[in-house]
Amino acid sequence: MEHPTSLDGKWLFRTGDDPAWAAPDTTSTGWTPIEITRPWGKQGYRGYAGVAWYRQTVQLPPEAGASRAGLGLALGGADWASYEVYANGYLVGRFGPWAGQGTFAVPHPQFFFIPAEALLPGRPLVLAVRFRPFPASMQRTPQGGGFDGGLFLIGDALQVQQAVQLAILERKQSQVTELVLALVFFLAGLFHLLFFLRRREQREYLWFGLFAILFAINWYGSGARWWASEWIDYVSLWQLNSFTISVLFIPQACFLWTLFGRRMGWFVKGYLGLLALLGIAPVVIPSLAFSLLISTPRVWVSLLFPALFVALIVAEARRGNREARTIVVGLLISMSCTLNDLLGIRLGFYTTIPLTSWGLAAILLSMALSLANRFARVYGELDALNRDLEAKVVERTSVITRQRDELEQKQTELTDNIAYAQRIQQALLPEADDLARIGRGAFVFFRPRDVVSGDFYWVHHTSQVTYLAVADCTGHGVAGAFMSLIGIDLLNRLVVEMPPPGLLLERLDLAVRHALRQTQGQTHGTAASDGMEVALCYLRHDSTQMTFAGARRPLYVVHLDGTCCEVKGSRRSIGGERQRSDRYFAETTIELSTVRSFYLTSDGFADQNGEHSSRGLGAKGLRTLLARQALLPRRFRGRNWHWLSSGIVEQPCSAMTSPCWACCGRLESKPRSRWCVAFRA
């Protein structure tokens, strides 16, 4: 066939269902000719919701089956229906739920391929269509049933398929305008919702934004449904349109009543609640039959809204409301568009195009204009208020500026005082020469949390002995620094007689309690427990042994075999108001010839949290770290205490000839004071 042949016109039609009617030799007795492009409900079969058959005999030229592409058939889509297509009794295709789609399909024109075995040499081609509408749809629209327009062709398969694709493309192109308008309305609604988020007291922007978005969704699903059907199935699209058209009136009514400053009565609230119920019911009850049946009462209920709408607008316009007069213009345009569709499309008095959607768009635009007028008037009033406020702001700003300058001056004085206190504290701490006299492997790692610290280290040399101490005072910052000054001063006084470390701690405990008046019962609250934790080492120059005594602080010793052990101190601190007389601090003697290095630390290392963990390093982790630290060359030990990440990280040091171990962790905004004193045995 050189060109496809149109199949528009009369087809034989018969109600009922008999599979034998698909055979090519079926007689035409009992069949009635009707137009294939018109619903059978408009051709004498109104309300029929059962299965029906169409038949058509096509005279094919002898070369029809010789085409390499084969023979193709195009039939129109069917709304809420299924059908099967037979060629000479051979099933060539299905549409709708019968096609295994599980749901109703978009009524696009359909293409069916007619195989060569369906063609009988020397005989005409008999086409039979078994059609079944959805009963609930026929109850809603009894004048429907069958095909309602579309493309009906037979011919070369490639040409027919191209014709179907072209018809679908033309339908989509005809709805480009609706697609663009739907996008414009959606963006307008989104803009007003964003504006409402900035000004929540102006609820008319909220209701208008919701109305515009619902209108855009409905316009997209109905006016541009060939585009929407690309990503959403036909049933869901119809339910979406039904839902939006039902609830569309709710934000519209709320907008008008809010715009005009009226209180919504119980009748209007009940009516809007009924509309919401009718819109939500098909979503809650997932039954297509129920959705189709409820659509008719929903339409009748919706007809009351235009009456309420017109009554409100007319009443406000008569009162001189400028926003109402603007909306009246859109109302007149909408009524004219609706009248055009009623006379031209429903009654057929003249030929026209559907304009109802454009009438709704006119109402939407008039509402937008009225909202813009309201905004312009309110903005003018706000502008006047802003000018008054600016004068007050200038006056208040001068007061705030003066107060800010005073606070900055006090802050500067306070910072200078703390910096001066830091210099005093640093002056009391041992200098580098004091550490150098201990040995080449000695180092200090000192990182206060605040400018001044509540932790301190202390070194005292005589010709016979050397004292080494690390203390952790109660409190942080300035409070802890004052306590550290007391501790340093008392140690310098008590060490004159060179007592052993246990006795020195006992005397320090008594001196601190006297200094803080804790022995007289004059302290209250947390002051009763003020004091410090101290780790103290005592080294005689003529001996290879070291004596250790601790007040709740341990000594960490790394032996020659690389193991690290913890020598615990006594379980009592320096200072504190406690009702007991036992103030003894035990001493431990360590043979230095078996020691690689030893460390005194405050609790800042073990308690410090990492970046990715809320748990501290802990005593076990600290011992592991110290054991690895002791294996480093002597010149790198003091440099390798860096906190860059949480926990202990095994990190090869590129500057070494062999791997080294680094303790890594990033300082927090308020890290605890951390420092240690390490000494090479």
Side-chain angles (χ1 to χ4, degrees), residues 267-335:
F267 176 78
V268 178
K269 290 181 180 179
Y271 173 69
L272 296 180
L274 180 60
L275 285 177
L277 181 62
L278 292 175
I280 296 175
V283 179
V284 177
I285 303 176
S287 171
L288 180 59
F290 175 77
S291 300
L292 291 171
L293 291 176
I294 203 176
S295 61
T296 300
R298 183 175 61 242
V299 172
W300 286 106
V301 172
S302 301
L303 293 177
L304 179 60
F305 183 79
L308 296 176
F309 181 78
V310 172
L312 176 65
I313 296 300
V314 172
E316 289 294 328
R318 294 181 61 181
R319 292 173 53 187
N321 192 310
R322 288 179 292 180
E323 285 79 9
R325 293 177 179 177
T326 304
I327 297 178
V328 164
V329 177
L331 179 61
L332 293 176
I333 296 176
S334 177
M335 293 177 64

Side-chain angles (χ1 to χ4, degrees), residues 103 271 278 541 556 616 664:
T103 184
Y271 173 69
L278 292 175
H541 298 169
Y556 296 96
C664 305

Side-chain angles (χ1 to χ4, degrees), residues 289-598:
F290 175 77
S291 300
L292 291 171
L293 291 176
I294 203 176
S295 61
T296 300
R298 183 175 61 242
V299 172
W300 286 106
V301 172
S302 301
L303 293 177
L304 179 60
F305 183 79
L308 296 176
F309 181 78
V310 172
L312 176 65
I313 296 300
V314 172
E316 289 294 328
R318 294 181 61 181
R319 292 173 53 187
N321 192 310
R322 288 179 292 180
E323 285 79 9
R325 293 177 179 177
T326 304
I327 297 178
V328 164
V329 177
L331 179 61
L332 293 176
I333 296 176
S334 177
M335 293 177 64
S336 301
C337 294
T338 304
L339 184 62
N340 169 79
D341 289 2
L342 178 63
L343 297 178
I345 297 178
R346 297 293 182 183
L347 301 180
F349 290 157
Y350 54 86
T351 302
T352 184
I353 59 175
L355 296 177
T356 300
S357 298
W358 293 96
L360 292 175
I363 292 180
L364 180 65
L365 292 177
S366 65
M367 292 168 60
L369 290 175
S370 65
L371 198 59
N373 294 335
R374 167 69 66 86
F375 177 79
R377 186 171 67 255
V378 173
Y379 182 80
E381 297 173 355
L382 290 176
D383 188 45
L385 292 175
N386 286 335
R387 287 193 295 269
D388 295 337
L389 289 175
E390 286 176 358
K392 295 181 179 180
V393 168
V394 172
E395 179 183 356
R396 299 289 176 85
T397 302
S398 60
V399 176
I400 294 175
T401 302
R402 184 174 65 255
Q403 294 175 348
R404 182 201 62 191
D405 295 340
E406 294 176 356
L407 290 176
E408 288 180 352
Q409 182 179 0
K410 293 180 180 179
Q411 177 69 19
T412 302
E413 295 175 356
L414 182 59
T415 304
D416 293 342
N417 290 335
I418 294 177
Y420 184 66
Q422 181 189 29
R423 291 195 296 270
I424 295 175
Q425 187 181 40
Q426 291 290 342
L428 295 177
L429 294 175
E431 298 180 353
D433 294 341
D434 296 323
L435 296 176
R437 292 176 60 184
I438 302 173
R440 289 184 299 169
F443 71 91
V444 174
F445 183 81
F446 186 55
R447 292 293 184 271
R449 190 191 74 168
D450 301 308
V451 178
V452 291
S453 175
D455 297 352
F456 69 90
Y457 55 99
W458 176 77
V459 178
H460 181 76
H461 297 284
T462 67
S463 59
Q464 301 176 1
V465 298
T466 296
Y467 290 90
L468 310 173
V470 169
D472 183 0
C473 303
T474 56
H476 298 283
V478 176
F482 273 106
M483 185 65 68
S484 69
L485 296 180
I486 294 175
I488 294 173
D489 179 65
L490 292 177
L491 284 172
N492 289 332
R493 294 183 184 182
L494 298 173
V495 79
V496 174
E497 298 180 4
M498 293 187 298
L503 181 58
L504 180 57
L505 290 182
E506 293 179 21
R507 294 177 179 179
L508 178 62
D509 176 59
L510 183 60
V512 169
R513 295 175 64 198
H514 277 289
L516 300 180
R517 300 181 181 180
Q518 293 173 340
T519 59
Q520 304 172 15
Q522 299 178 7
T523 56
H524 302 281
T526 58
S529 60
D530 288 343
M532 62 190 72
E533 299 174 357
V534 182
L536 178 62
C537 289
Y538 175 82
L539 295 92
R540 294 188 59 86
H541 298 169
D542 57 355
S543 174
T544 61
Q545 293 182 340
M546 177 181 67
T547 305
F548 166 75
R552 300 191 68 175
R553 291 306 308 154
L555 167 69
Y556 296 96
V557 178
V558 181
H559 295 282
L560 293 177
D561 59 359
T563 60
C564 179
C565 64
E566 178 182 352
V567 181
K568 297 184 178 294
S570 300
R571 299 182 61 182
R572 60 182 62 89
S573 61
I574 301 298
E577 183 179 348
R578 288 180 289 274
Q579 299 298 325
R580 56 186 174 83
S581 58
D582 182 15
R583 309 300 296 181
Y584 173 74
F585 292 91
E587 296 181 351
T588 302
T589 301
I590 300 169
E591 180 61 42
L592 295 179
S593 61
T594 63
V595 174
R596 180 188 297 271
S597 59
F598 63 92

Side-chain angles (χ1 to χ4, degrees), residues 543-673:
S543 174
T544 61
Q545 293 182 340
M546 177 181 67
T547 305
F548 166 75
R552 300 191 68 175
R553 291 306 308 154
L555 167 69
Y556 296 96
V557 178
V558 181
H559 295 282
L560 293 177
D561 59 359
T563 60
C564 179
C565 64
E566 178 182 352
V567 181
K568 297 184 178 294
S570 300
R571 299 182 61 182
R572 60 182 62 89
S573 61
I574 301 298
E577 183 179 348
R578 288 180 289 274
Q579 299 298 325
R580 56 186 174 83
S581 58
D582 182 15
R583 309 300 296 181
Y584 173 74
F585 292 91
E587 296 181 351
T588 302
T589 301
I590 300 169
E591 180 61 42
L592 295 179
S593 61
T594 63
V595 174
R596 180 188 297 271
S597 59
F598 63 92
Y599 299 86
L600 303 176
T601 72
S602 66
D603 62 355
F605 282 109
D607 295 345
Q608 176 63 36
N609 296 335
E611 178 186 11
H612 304 294
S613 175
S614 60
R615 300 179 59 184
L617 179 62
K620 182 178 179 181
L622 181 58
R623 289 196 301 270
T624 303
L625 173 65
L626 295 177
R628 294 171 177 174
Q629 177 76 10
L631 297 177
L632 292 176
R634 183 178 301 172
R635 64 182 182 278
F636 291 109
R637 290 178 191 162
R639 305 177 186 175
N640 204 46
W641 291 81
H642 304 296
W643 295 75
L644 304 172
S645 139
S646 63
I648 299 177
V649 179
E650 300 182 1
Q651 172 181 309
C653 183
S654 59
M656 305 294 139
T657 57
S658 61
C660 69
W661 300 98
C663 177
C664 305
R666 186 169 58 192
L667 291 177
E668 300 177 356
S669 59
K670 287 294 184 181
R672 301 194 59 176
S673 299

